[in-house]
Amino acid sequence: MANHSYPILCASFNQDFSLFAIATRDGFKIFDSSTGRLCYEQAIGAFTIVEMLFSSSLLAIVGAGEQPSLSPRRLCLFNTTTGHPLRELNFLTSILAVRMNRKRLVVLLQEKTYVYDINSLTILDTIDTAPNLKGLCAFSPSLDGCFLALPACTTRGSVLLYNVMELQSHCEIDAHRAPLVAMVLSSNGMYIATASEQGTIIRVHSVSEATKSYSFRRGTYPSTIFSLSFGPSMEIPEILVATSSSGQSSPQKLKKKRSRRSNSFLGSMMLESVTDALDPAHHNVLHNAAPAGVKSYAVIRKVDKITDPSISETLACRVAISILTYNGYFQDYILSINNQDEFLWSLARGFNLLLDDAICS
């Protein structure tokens, strides 16, 4: 749900992180993540949800209720090419989140989740859920591993994993003792990362085995985790980044080790369990990613492994991390990781999203 104390009511990236959208009380804008170029805008009122379907012309938008025509109970499927609605779906209560891939449309209400065929808009399933006041969810857009993650309980950090393509519950994971506040699925649906209200421990579980593969300590003192993001990967993600109310962006490299439990290629690679990441060598935070207390949203857009022999002896990879802050700023960082797992942050560019003449710097 949007916090109306911020000028930005919602922010989202598309499924491959090539575009991002923001909404204000005046309308919404879509930007190119690589260049910062404004690609599309509509000044038609306040919105709390703007979801894209990859780089297509289809948007799912939900109004903030500040105008009678923009009800928070109405989902509008909008065509950016024509500038007109394609179809509207109305619900009895406010829509808290929307997720899409090329086959499915998922709509979250406080205690129900609806799954639609995105082409025909035929309703395929209705999921009764635990009360989910903030619309917390995670979604993997891959058709081969398309999962939806929802809080399974309001009193502890349990996750319900639902297979969106097969239309059935997959498993439930007891991830934390305290209620959940953030979660993300890897793009291939293989792993899920979660954080609780305490905000000190982030855990990664294998979706297929419902087992804990990895955990690390974000910090010593409680903090609200605003976002989690895996690096893009066809197999096992190599890096995870979190943003929090402390204003920090905390990356963590997910190391791999061989497991004897499986003879399969993917099964033979398991994430190495790390229980103490308080050592400064493992806690390479960006301290001023956002002002303390301001909501922020970070994604790992790209991970480039260094193959040049003249460089790869010292530098292992470069990671492109984009950070949106709800007070109106976009920042693009390059995180360089050497072979000793030491991190070096550098700001590539940044600009104010709320300025009409904003340009990348």
Side-chain angles (χ1 to χ4, degrees), residues 181-202:
V181 72
M183 63 174 79
V184 68
L185 280 156
S186 59
S187 59
N188 56 19
M190 291 178 61
Y191 289 90
I192 182 168
T194 58
S196 73
E197 289 179 349
Q198 189 173 3
T200 54
I201 300 290
I202 295 170

Short mmCIF file of all heavy atoms in Angstrom, two decimals, residues 181-202:
data_model
loop_
_atom_site.label_atom_id
_atom_site.label_comp_id
_atom_site.label_asym_id
_atom_site.label_seq_id
_atom_site.Cartn_x
_atom_site.Cartn_y
_atom_site.Cartn_z
N VAL A 181 7.82 -8.92 6.77
CA VAL A 181 7.70 -7.54 6.32
C VAL A 181 8.21 -7.36 4.89
O VAL A 181 7.88 -6.38 4.22
CB VAL A 181 8.44 -6.59 7.28
CG1 VAL A 181 9.96 -6.72 7.15
CG2 VAL A 181 8.01 -5.15 7.09
N ALA A 182 9.01 -8.31 4.40
CA ALA A 182 9.53 -8.23 3.03
C ALA A 182 9.83 -9.63 2.53
O ALA A 182 10.21 -10.51 3.30
CB ALA A 182 10.79 -7.36 2.98
N MET A 183 9.67 -9.82 1.22
CA MET A 183 10.01 -11.10 0.60
C MET A 183 10.24 -10.88 -0.89
O MET A 183 9.73 -9.95 -1.48
CB MET A 183 8.91 -12.14 0.83
CG MET A 183 7.58 -11.80 0.22
SD MET A 183 6.35 -13.13 0.37
CE MET A 183 5.83 -12.93 2.06
N VAL A 184 11.06 -11.77 -1.47
CA VAL A 184 11.29 -11.73 -2.91
C VAL A 184 11.61 -13.14 -3.39
O VAL A 184 12.25 -13.91 -2.68
CB VAL A 184 12.44 -10.76 -3.28
CG1 VAL A 184 13.79 -11.27 -2.79
CG2 VAL A 184 12.48 -10.51 -4.78
N LEU A 185 11.12 -13.48 -4.57
CA LEU A 185 11.46 -14.74 -5.23
C LEU A 185 12.50 -14.46 -6.31
O LEU A 185 12.46 -13.41 -6.96
CB LEU A 185 10.23 -15.36 -5.87
CG LEU A 185 9.28 -16.13 -4.94
CD1 LEU A 185 7.88 -16.18 -5.53
CD2 LEU A 185 9.80 -17.55 -4.69
N SER A 186 13.43 -15.40 -6.50
CA SER A 186 14.34 -15.27 -7.63
C SER A 186 13.52 -15.36 -8.91
O SER A 186 12.44 -15.94 -8.95
CB SER A 186 15.42 -16.36 -7.58
OG SER A 186 14.84 -17.64 -7.61
N SER A 187 14.04 -14.77 -9.98
CA SER A 187 13.27 -14.68 -11.22
C SER A 187 12.90 -16.05 -11.79
O SER A 187 11.89 -16.20 -12.47
CB SER A 187 14.04 -13.88 -12.27
OG SER A 187 15.30 -14.49 -12.54
N ASN A 188 13.71 -17.07 -11.47
CA ASN A 188 13.42 -18.42 -11.96
C ASN A 188 12.58 -19.23 -10.98
O ASN A 188 12.27 -20.39 -11.24
CB ASN A 188 14.72 -19.16 -12.27
CG ASN A 188 15.67 -19.20 -11.08
OD1 ASN A 188 15.26 -18.99 -9.94
ND2 ASN A 188 16.94 -19.46 -11.34
N GLY A 189 12.21 -18.63 -9.84
CA GLY A 189 11.36 -19.29 -8.87
C GLY A 189 12.06 -20.33 -8.02
O GLY A 189 11.39 -21.08 -7.30
N MET A 190 13.38 -20.38 -8.03
CA MET A 190 14.11 -21.41 -7.29
C MET A 190 14.32 -21.07 -5.82
O MET A 190 14.38 -21.96 -4.97
CB MET A 190 15.47 -21.69 -7.95
CG MET A 190 15.38 -22.38 -9.30
SD MET A 190 17.00 -22.62 -10.06
CE MET A 190 17.80 -23.66 -8.84
N TYR A 191 14.44 -19.77 -5.52
CA TYR A 191 14.75 -19.36 -4.15
C TYR A 191 13.85 -18.22 -3.71
O TYR A 191 13.41 -17.40 -4.52
CB TYR A 191 16.22 -18.95 -4.03
CG TYR A 191 17.15 -20.12 -4.12
CD1 TYR A 191 17.66 -20.52 -5.35
CD2 TYR A 191 17.48 -20.87 -2.99
CE1 TYR A 191 18.49 -21.63 -5.46
CE2 TYR A 191 18.31 -21.98 -3.09
CZ TYR A 191 18.80 -22.35 -4.32
OH TYR A 191 19.60 -23.45 -4.42
N ILE A 192 13.60 -18.15 -2.40
CA ILE A 192 12.84 -17.05 -1.81
C ILE A 192 13.63 -16.49 -0.65
O ILE A 192 14.19 -17.24 0.17
CB ILE A 192 11.43 -17.50 -1.35
CG1 ILE A 192 10.66 -16.29 -0.78
CG2 ILE A 192 11.49 -18.66 -0.36
CD1 ILE A 192 9.18 -16.56 -0.56
N ALA A 193 13.74 -15.16 -0.59
CA ALA A 193 14.37 -14.46 0.52
C ALA A 193 13.30 -13.74 1.33
O ALA A 193 12.35 -13.19 0.76
CB ALA A 193 15.41 -13.45 0.01
N THR A 194 13.43 -13.76 2.64
CA THR A 194 12.43 -13.16 3.53
C THR A 194 13.08 -12.38 4.66
O THR A 194 14.22 -12.66 5.05
CB THR A 194 11.53 -14.25 4.15
OG1 THR A 194 12.35 -15.18 4.86
CG2 THR A 194 10.73 -14.98 3.09
N ALA A 195 12.34 -11.41 5.18
CA ALA A 195 12.75 -10.67 6.37
C ALA A 195 11.52 -10.45 7.23
O ALA A 195 10.40 -10.30 6.72
CB ALA A 195 13.37 -9.33 5.99
N SER A 196 11.72 -10.43 8.54
CA SER A 196 10.61 -10.25 9.47
C SER A 196 10.58 -8.82 9.99
O SER A 196 11.42 -7.98 9.65
CB SER A 196 10.74 -11.22 10.64
OG SER A 196 11.78 -10.81 11.52
N GLU A 197 9.60 -8.54 10.85
CA GLU A 197 9.47 -7.21 11.44
C GLU A 197 10.69 -6.81 12.25
O GLU A 197 10.97 -5.62 12.41
CB GLU A 197 8.22 -7.15 12.32
CG GLU A 197 6.91 -7.19 11.54
CD GLU A 197 5.70 -7.15 12.45
OE1 GLU A 197 5.87 -7.31 13.68
OE2 GLU A 197 4.58 -6.95 11.94
N GLN A 198 11.43 -7.78 12.77
CA GLN A 198 12.62 -7.45 13.56
C GLN A 198 13.70 -6.85 12.67
O GLN A 198 14.42 -5.94 13.09
CB GLN A 198 13.16 -8.70 14.26
CG GLN A 198 14.27 -8.39 15.25
CD GLN A 198 14.66 -9.62 16.06
OE1 GLN A 198 14.15 -10.70 15.84
NE2 GLN A 198 15.59 -9.43 16.98
N GLY A 199 13.85 -7.37 11.46
CA GLY A 199 14.71 -6.75 10.47
C GLY A 199 16.20 -6.96 10.64
O GLY A 199 16.99 -6.26 10.00
N THR A 200 16.62 -7.92 11.44
CA THR A 200 18.05 -8.15 11.62
C THR A 200 18.57 -9.36 10.85
O THR A 200 19.75 -9.42 10.51
CB THR A 200 18.39 -8.36 13.12
OG1 THR A 200 17.56 -9.40 13.64
CG2 THR A 200 18.13 -7.08 13.90
N ILE A 201 17.69 -10.34 10.56
CA ILE A 201 18.09 -11.55 9.85
C ILE A 201 17.33 -11.67 8.54
O ILE A 201 16.11 -11.49 8.51
CB ILE A 201 17.82 -12.81 10.70
CG1 ILE A 201 18.61 -12.76 12.02
CG2 ILE A 201 18.18 -14.07 9.92
CD1 ILE A 201 20.10 -12.90 11.86
N ILE A 202 18.04 -11.93 7.47
CA ILE A 202 17.43 -12.24 6.18
C ILE A 202 17.73 -13.70 5.87
O ILE A 202 18.88 -14.14 5.98
CB ILE A 202 17.96 -11.31 5.08
CG1 ILE A 202 17.54 -9.87 5.36
CG2 ILE A 202 17.45 -11.75 3.70
CD1 ILE A 202 18.19 -8.85 4.48
#
